Structure formats: C-alpha cells, structure tokens
C-alpha cells in the first residue's frame, strides 16, 4: 500500500461522519450548554470538512483527544504548571481553527446547534 493510500484510509477511518456518535456528543454538549457547544460543533465540522487540510484535521483530533484524556503530561493539580500543557493545546487549536474555519463550516455548525438547542421565541 502506498503512503498516500494509507493516509487516505486513516483519514476515512478516523474522520468520517459515520464514526461520530452524535447521540453521545449531543448529550455531552447539552450538559455543557449552548455557549460551549457552539465552538465545539465548529471544531467538529472543521475536522469533518473534506476541504480542511489533512494535517489540520489530524492535529485538531489529537488536540481534542489530549484535552479529553484523564491523564496529562503535567498533572492539573500542580499550580500554574498543571494547566500550562492544556493552554498550549488550546492555543494550537485556536490557531488551526482561525486559519481553516470557513463560512460553510460555521453555517453547518450553526444549523446543528439550532437543532440541538432550539431558541425560544
């Protein structure tokens, strides 16, 4: 198998919409609330968008995975230093996000947000 074929297979296995358990994600985000769900859905749509470069998609996936892991390189219990590794990961994610998010990605995330968190009129 060539490098390009292996890379394509990896992306398809990791980043296709069918792999995402939207029910679980929805339950988690509903606990977090609409304000926190909005950027989370944009990040998800950014990773799933086929126009997003592969390196950015995989870096976002790795960063999100790291933030959700119960174990850190530097334990969060240590004052200041404990959160520094999380801050580095968040900074990288914001940089990727701002460089690659498009109006189409924002629109898809907004539609999903409005379905999951209907606004009362």
């Amino acid at each position: 198998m060539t490098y390009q074929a292996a890379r394509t297979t990896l992306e398809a296995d990791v980043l296709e919409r069918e792999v995402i358990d939207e029910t679980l994600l929805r339950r988690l985000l509903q606990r977090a609330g609409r304000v926190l769900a909005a950027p989370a859905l944009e990040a998800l749509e950014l990773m799933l968008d086929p126009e997003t470069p592969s390196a950015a998609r995989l870096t976002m996936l790795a960063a999100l995975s790291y933030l959700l892991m119960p174990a850190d390189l530097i334990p969060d219990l240590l004052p200041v230093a404990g959160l520094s590794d999380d801050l580095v990961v968040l900074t990288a994610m914001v940089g990727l996000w701002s460089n690659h998010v498009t109006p189409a990605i924002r629109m898809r995330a907004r539609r999903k947000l409005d379905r999951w968190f209907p606004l009362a009129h």
Side-chain angles (χ1 to χ4, degrees):
M1 180 181 295
T2 67
Y3 171 75
Q4 184 62 31
R7 190 169 137 191
T8 303
T9 302
L10 172 67
E11 289 173 18
D13 289 344
V14 174
L15 297 172
E16 284 191 13
R17 291 184 182 277
E18 292 78 23
V19 174
I20 304 297
D21 183 351
E22 284 200 7
T23 304
L24 178 63
L25 179 62
R26 184 177 183 173
R27 258 188 272 144
L28 177 67
L29 291 179
Q30 284 177 330
R31 287 185 186 160
R34 185 179 173 97
V35 172
L36 292 176
L41 289 173
E42 278 190 16
L44 176 65
E45 290 298 328
L46 176 68
M47 287 189 303
L48 295 174
D49 189 80
E51 298 299 315
T52 301
S54 298
R57 292 166 56 185
L58 292 174
T59 302
M60 286 287 289
L61 182 62
L64 286 171
S65 298
Y66 180 79
L67 289 172
L68 295 173
M69 280 183 4
D72 280 343
L73 289 175
I74 304 171
D76 291 340
L77 298 174
L78 296 174
V80 182
L83 298 175
S84 64
D85 60 332
D86 296 330
L87 182 60
V88 169
V89 171
L90 284 171
T91 303
M93 284 179 54
V94 168
L96 283 170
W97 188 349
S98 63
N99 288 331
H100 297 289
V101 73
T102 64
I105 290 170
R106 288 185 193 266
M107 186 184 315
R108 285 194 306 271
R110 182 51 160 244
R111 281 194 301 258
K112 189 173 290 187
L113 183 70
D114 290 341
R115 272 195 326 270
W116 290 4
F117 296 87
L119 294 173
H121 294 285

